[in-house]
Amino acid sequence: MISTFEVTDLNNQKKYLKDIFLEDNKSYIVGFIYTNCATYCAAQSSNFQQLQQKIDSRGLHDRVGLLSISFDPDHDSPEKVRSYAKKYQADEKIWKFSIAGKDNLRAQLFDQFGVIVIPAELGEFEHNSALLLVDKGGRIIRVFDDNQIDEALNQAISL
């Protein structure tokens, strides 16, 4: 079970990450981003666009969701992330966004999800990119490479 981490949603409401998974009663494919990232994050968001289209066309929005978590709370306000979501045509029934807090628990969040984030020059970050499958109970089930979107979706459906 994912530990209790507070995140901010796009309505500037604080939520516990585990509650996002539990309240919807569906599996989630999760990815970590920041809006100023022009490499991994843009590619991952394009993959999430494809996944969203597949989920929608197959009528799976009540079984599988997508969640992008920004790890740059110093620059990614709810308004900025909302604009980012709009750029990628995110449908909030399928694809949710949240922003990790500024506190020291962020390192624990990264550890729990296996995310490595290293500050770089010009306010950017070096980070790994993957698709993380979380089941309806809030447990991390598997990690997929970014290019394994079909495999991630198929396993999410099977949960």
Side-chain angles (χ1 to χ4, degrees):
M1 171 72 97
I2 292 172
S3 299
T4 303
F5 297 104
E6 195 171 74
V7 294
T8 303
D9 68 16
L10 299 189
N11 295 317
N12 207 27
Q13 300 295 311
K14 302 284 186 199
K15 288 186 157 192
Y16 290 113
L17 187 56
K18 68 177 180 118
D19 291 340
I20 293 172
F21 301 124
L22 297 175
E23 70 191 13
D24 288 342
N25 194 35
K26 58 185 173 182
S27 54
Y28 270 89
I29 299 170
V30 179
F32 286 81
I33 61 152
Y34 68 103
T35 62
N36 288 332
C37 176
T39 55
Y40 294 126
C41 305
Q44 184 178 86
S45 294
S46 292
N47 286 338
F48 271 39
Q49 268 186 315
Q50 292 175 47
L51 281 166
Q52 176 179 260
Q53 184 177 21
K54 291 173 188 243
I55 291 166
D56 186 47
S57 68
R58 294 171 65 183
L60 298 169
H61 64 276
D62 60 337
R63 295 180 58 195
V64 180
L66 305 171
L67 176 64
S68 291
I69 303 171
S70 167
F71 56 80
D72 187 11
D74 291 330
H75 299 102
D76 285 348
S77 66
E79 296 77 22
K80 189 166 184 184
V81 176
R82 193 177 306 111
S83 176
Y84 183 88
K86 186 175 182 179
K87 172 183 170 184
Y88 285 97
Q89 302 170 340
D91 178 347
E92 61 187 37
K93 291 184 319 231
I94 299 170
W95 188 358
K96 295 183 178 187
F97 288 79
S98 63
I99 305 161
K102 295 181 182 184
D103 59 23
N104 60 356
L105 292 178
R106 203 166 32 154
Q108 292 176 7
L109 175 67
F110 295 155
D111 286 346
Q112 191 155 18
F113 277 93
V115 176
I116 298 168
V117 177
I118 302 166
E121 293 181 24
L122 306 172
E124 295 183 346
F125 299 93
E126 295 291 331
H127 64 98
N128 59 336
S129 183
L131 305 174
L132 299 117
L133 181 59
V134 177
D135 72 5
K136 296 173 187 177
R139 291 178 297 271
I140 300 169
I141 299 298
R142 186 163 169 201
V143 178
F144 293 91
D145 288 337
D146 263 347
N147 63 352
Q148 295 179 295
I149 62 173
D150 290 325
E151 294 89 339
L153 179 58
N154 289 336
Q155 185 152 3
I157 294 166
S158 74
L159 295 177

